[in-house]
Amino acid sequence: MSDQPDVPPDDVGDPGPSLMQRITGVGESARRALLLPSLALVLALLVGAVIIMLTDVDAWQLMGTDAGAAIGDMFEGVWVAYRELFAGAFGSVRGISETLFTATPLILAGLAVAIGFQAGLFNIGATGQMFVGGLFATWIALHVTLPSYLHIPLAILAAIVGGGLWGGLAGLLKAKTGAHEVITTIMLNFIAGFFVLWALKTSAFQDEGSNIPQSSPLPESVQLPTIFGDEFRVNIGLFIAIGAVFFIQWLLYRSTTGFEFRAVGSSPGASLYAGMNVAVLITLVMFVSGALSGVAGSTMTLGLPPYRVSESFPGTIGFDAIALALLGRSHPYGVLWSGLLFGALIAGGRTMQAAAGVSVDLVIVMQALIIMFIAAPELVRAVFRVEHGGEAADQVTRGWGA
Amino acid sequence: MTATANPNDMIHVRATPEEKRSTIIGAVLIALGAYIFWQFGLGVEPGLQATFNLSLQTDTVQGLAWVVDPRQFSMIIGVIVAGLGGWRLTRRALQYTNLSLAISFLLLVMAFLAWAAAGSQFSLVGMLRSTVVLSVVVVFGALTGLMCERVGVVNIGIEGQLLAGAFAAVVLSSAFGTAAGVLGGVAVGALLGWLLAWLSIRFQVDQIIAGVVINFLALGLTSLMSARILSEIQTLNAPERIPAIRIPFLADIPVLGAMFFDHTYFVYGMFLLVFGIHYGLFYSRWGLRSRSVGEHPKAADTAGINVYWVRYRNVILGGMIAGFGGAFLGLAQVARFEENMTGGIGFIGLAAMIFGRWLPIGALGAGLVFGLSRAVQQKVAILNTGIPSEFLFMVPYIVTIIVVAGVVGRTRPPAADGIPYIKD
């Protein structure tokens, strides 16, 4: 096999064809590795443009009287939407700050999904793990009085424990009973969501008397310090996310445990015969995955002005993370770049919604298309007539029986 | 089997898995019986009565009610459940393990209701009727999954197919009338079924990822169109609610009439589909071919069956069932479209399919269990029991996890489930 661009050639243990190579059928050079995702993004933007035009109600109502003007309006609509998208993501210091701020939890949750994929597990439960991790962090934030340099690490540690336990629970269920993680993690998402909704109304998280599911303000000692000044939201959570990228890179490709994770992902049967404790490994992978989501959750509770935790703080991050892990082909560096890209798309999408009236839901559609094009590279090749890689898309996950 | 099985199990003569299960469930049931006895029995003040109403206002026969003393009632139930547990501990008659569990579950619900309704009234028949209504989408979702998985295609996209079906049904019904709405919902379901089949057969895309794509597409597109079109033209989100059809005579039967014979045609359709698919799968050429493709596609191919065609056909049919279920959600249950109105019910359908062991009648039973847990949650929320509503909301999801984690015992999916077939 040829080396992956991001893995040093002296990598301990043969990582086998990476997910990237398995899905894309390319792996010879970084240029070719980037080709498919870039084309997928371009295609998604094109389809997105068509959708903006098709849903332009005002232009369609004009179509009967003045078709030329209507079509002009439609193209104008697309132009304005994408201009605002780009401006909202990169057009100013605020835009860049918003992009990085949005990317922070995405990178962390994306790593969570990616490490699951590497071990053959599909963690759709990042949302629930963010809920639990974020709630644990909030509890520490409200109930412990410490100087900032201890308070923040302790709160994040609590998030690691909370998210890890919630993810590990799904892993344990999988290992001990065979319950598929796709179903259990989704159910755990709902359970965690309702639990947070209840918890935020209790006196442990807010002052007596209020019935709004929102915590008391977090003390300043636990608020994540901002990087560009208080005017901009991006905070040191970004450094935590980047640190996690390097840590997971080390864990997966430099440590025995990581090797075992990937071995379980490639073949649980062979891993069992090689003497690995597959049940423990599956639980551990889900613990690490949940812990990463938990940290993502803590950045959304400790780093989100006005520092009052509300009941929906994970938003759609847990699901965006799936698209992002696929786009980054489950590689930590790939997740970093895709996280930044999605951060830009979503931050820009918010501006687009406000300024151009195109709902940010368009970004969900684009994510779906990106996953689809990445998972079915033949589709992209058919459109762009790129040379054929010669390999079919391989399977990332396993069926119910495994 | 998972990789966790201890190889020693096969060498030494030990308790079989069924026997172990019987013991574990026996212990759980005894504990449960004791809990019911203390909490729901002794936990009620003496002298209070619980009234279960057995008539709805629309019923022909009025005023039926069942009055119990929750204290006695729950104490008796606790003893029965514990007794069933003791019977399980003996490891005799292993075929009755699941039946004991099912009976205990129903008794638990009854004791809980008696406790919750102590000193007040409770519409038991209303709850039973809601059970049927709330199980419909779950059952349609489970049947969709079953149609696909019986031919070896995993469908995680049920949620998206239901949502898109509901959207299309609501918009088309608002614009062109009910018939167009239902047909449109079915057509959009078929389209998304085709997309799943196309991605997983033509491109051999990982089927779980293909399903996720469908869920994202459906959620993104329906939310986008809801925000951009339905909010501007609100007449497109005002479908006529599909009325119930009272079946003459049968609907007049107390309790059963309200439960089963006073519904929209979706509900009757659900029962017909369940039994139709069951008959088709096990007594027709179509079913034999479908099952052979799901169990051993290569053998099916050798026997001259077109594996790809069978998979396309069944996955599209499955999508149509989801579209029909979505139409029920959009036109009968809610009668308007709301963003992400499915809220995870497609995944519960998937769990129901597994719970029902890939059998249509099992899917119906599992769907009714989830319907019951939601109906109990809704009705108990009104009773002011002091249990936070958030915890009641969790119940269906917790039930799903317990079910999937194998309280019903290990299930065996079709052998070729999730594996793309590549013809040599």
Side-chain angles (χ1 to χ4, degrees), chain B residues 42 59 79 87 95-96 105 114 161 181 208 221 234 248 262 297 300 325 335 384 402 407:
Chain B
L42 295 177
D59 275 358
V79 171
W87 185 39
Q95 68 270 32
Y96 293 120
F105 175 73
Q161 295 173 339
I208 289 183
L221 282 174
Q234 285 169 9
D262 188 11
N384 194 16
I402 294 174
V407 164

Side-chain angles (χ1 to χ4, degrees), chain B residues 290-339:
Chain B
S290 301
R291 285 183 293 133
S292 70
V293 166
E295 296 289 345
H296 200 317
K298 194 158 191 121
D301 196 358
T302 311
I305 298 169
N306 185 337
V307 174
Y308 297 141
W309 157 241
V310 170
R311 286 193 170 175
Y312 265 106
R313 182 185 59 191
N314 280 31
V315 173
I316 292 170
L317 281 173
M320 291 167 78
I321 295 174
F324 192 61
F328 167 76
L329 186 65
L331 299 181
Q333 200 172 344
V334 182
R336 60 176 278 115
F337 182 80
E338 290 154 18
E339 284 185 28

Side-chain angles (χ1 to χ4, degrees), chain A residues 51-52 54-58 61 117 122 124 173-180 182-184 186-188 190-191 194-195 197-198 201 268 272 278-279 319-320 322-323 326 356-359 361-362 364-365 367-369 371-372 375-376 378-379 392-402, chain B residues 1-5 149 154-156 195 198-199 202-209 212-217 219-221 223-225 227-229 232-233 339 343-345 347-348 350-351 353-354 358 388-391 393-394 396-398 400-401 404-406 410 413 417-420 422:
Chain A
I51 292 170
I52 295 174
L54 287 179
T55 55
D56 195 339
V57 175
D58 297 337
Q61 281 167 343
F117 277 146
F122 192 2
I124 312 192
L173 285 168
K174 166 106 178 177
K176 287 292 170 196
T177 71
H180 201 280
V182 166
I183 292 186
T184 53
I186 289 170
M187 297 300 139
L188 288 171
F190 287 107
I191 295 169
F194 286 121
F195 185 78
L197 187 61
W198 169 77
K201 285 191 269 190
L272 189 68
V278 174
F319 291 97
D320 302 331
I322 298 166
L326 287 167
V358 175
S359 154
D361 298 312
L362 184 71
I364 302 178
V365 180
Q367 287 169 353
L369 294 168
I371 309 176
M372 187 169 83
E378 274 187 69
L379 265 175
D394 208 350
Q395 303 296 297
V396 186
T397 63
R398 256 176 264 115
W400 305 124
Chain B
M1 291 302 290
T2 63
T4 59
E149 301 213 354
V154 170
N155 185 354
I156 293 276
L195 180 63
W198 190 59
L199 287 176
R202 167 79 174 76
F203 298 104
Q204 287 139 31
V205 170
D206 184 297
Q207 290 167 8
I208 289 183
I209 291 177
V212 169
V213 166
I214 287 172
N215 288 336
F216 269 67
L217 266 185
L219 177 65
L221 282 174
S223 301
L224 180 80
M225 288 194 273
R228 255 167 90 75
I229 301 178
E232 295 235 344
I233 312 172
E339 284 185 28
I345 203 164
F347 292 104
I348 294 186
L350 202 62
M353 172 198 74
I354 294 173
W358 286 267
S389 60
E390 290 86 4
F391 287 94
F393 277 120
M394 287 178 199
Y397 305 106
I398 295 174
T400 306
I401 288 186
V404 176
R410 239 171 236 290
D417 211 4
I419 305 164
I422 301 159

